[in-house]
Amino acid sequence: LWVGLEVERISKSQIFFREHSRRANPETVGGWDELVSARIQIVCVNAALMKITSIPAPLRAQLEALQ
């Protein structure tokens, strides 16, 4: 069983991830059966104001390195 998380896209205030769970299967093309997949959208919010805000630069740099 293999579970993965990938950064799909980063915007000024949002991060889009793709998650998937796969099982090895040598009989299929590519060698994997995809069991579950999902897209996750996370929005950065200023908790005090409850308004959308930019992703902090240090976090953005780390996330962009994962793309």
Side-chain angles (χ1 to χ4, degrees):
L1 184 65
W2 186 76
V3 177
L5 174 71
E6 301 162 4
V7 176
E8 274 192 340
R9 183 168 63 94
I10 302 171
S11 70
K12 182 178 176 182
S13 60
Q14 300 178 67
I15 309 163
F16 298 86
F17 293 101
R18 183 175 186 279
E19 277 189 309
H20 43 85
S21 296
R22 297 177 179 157
R23 174 180 52 205
N25 182 350
E27 297 178 7
T28 61
V29 176
W32 296 95
D33 288 331
E34 187 149 321
L35 305 174
V36 177
S37 66
R39 283 192 73 225
I40 295 108
Q41 177 182 1
I42 297 174
V43 179
C44 190
V45 176
N46 179 317
L49 301 174
M50 293 306 294
K51 297 208 180 239
I52 295 173
T53 189
S54 297
I55 299 169
L59 177 57
R60 173 182 286 284
Q62 289 181 352
L63 290 166
E64 287 174 341
L66 297 173
Q67 282 187 303

